[in-house]
Amino acid sequence: ELDTLYLQQRFDALKSGRQGQKIKSAQLFAGLLAEQQRLAAMKNRYKFVYCEPGLLTSALAKCLVEDDWVLKVATMAAFNNVKLDYRLVDAVSMQLDYKDWPVRLISVFVLSNDKGENFDSVLKWVNDNDNKQIVKDMAAELLAGR
């Protein structure tokens, strides 16, 4: 059951926890943020534990500044149902030139889904300039799918 103490423990895990704890926390925060975004549009709401969306996005952005590519990929994978605010867009955008290709691959996917056609020029640039073929292929496929 979610309560304030549990959420605080999850926030603390981002500072000093192990990789698995950080990943689980990122997944929890992304899920809570997606839930809050969906609830905002609903007329009939149910009782839930409220956490300031700014805290959730800050926690998720913190996961993306860690130098741990597994954490970065798992965090961005949890964004599937989240509408990205400017902080998350900025944090994901910073990953487009990260040293490990899985991070670049998923950041291209996440931003393309969030930004739509506004992201096409970046997809073209990635397709022309990334040094990993699979990342180039993802950019090309996302462009072709429009």
Side-chain angles (χ1 to χ4, degrees), residues 105 108 123 126-128 130 132-145:
L105 180 79
V108 164
L123 290 174
V126 169
N127 188 33
D128 293 339
D130 200 274
K132 189 71 174 175
Q133 189 60 46
I134 193 168
V135 178
K136 289 181 171 197
D137 292 345
M138 173 64 83
E141 190 64 32
L142 290 168
L143 272 170

Side-chain angles (χ1 to χ4, degrees), residues 3-4 7 32 35-36 47-56:
D3 60 16
T4 306
L7 287 175
L32 289 173
E35 179 184 51
Q36 286 187 1
K47 185 179 177 182
F48 66 100
V49 174
Y50 180 78
C51 183
E52 183 63 40
L55 291 175
L56 297 172

Side-chain angles (χ1 to χ4, degrees), residues 89-102:
V89 168
D90 187 49
V92 174
S93 296
M94 298 298 289
Q95 307 313 310
L96 288 170
D97 63 354
Y98 192 73
K99 63 186 178 194
D100 295 308
W101 69 264

Side-chain angles (χ1 to χ4, degrees), residues 82-132:
V82 174
K83 294 175 188 158
L84 303 182
D85 69 359
Y86 72 93
R87 259 180 286 186
L88 290 178
V89 168
D90 187 49
V92 174
S93 296
M94 298 298 289
Q95 307 313 310
L96 288 170
D97 63 354
Y98 192 73
K99 63 186 178 194
D100 295 308
W101 69 264
V103 173
R104 297 192 311 273
L105 180 79
I106 197 160
S107 64
V108 164
F109 180 77
V110 167
L111 289 171
S112 178
N113 283 345
D114 187 68
K115 294 298 168 197
E117 291 179 6
N118 295 331
F119 194 63
D120 285 358
S121 61
V122 176
L123 290 174
K124 290 174 188 168
W125 185 91
V126 169
N127 188 33
D128 293 339
N129 296 297
D130 200 274
N131 62 4
K132 189 71 174 175

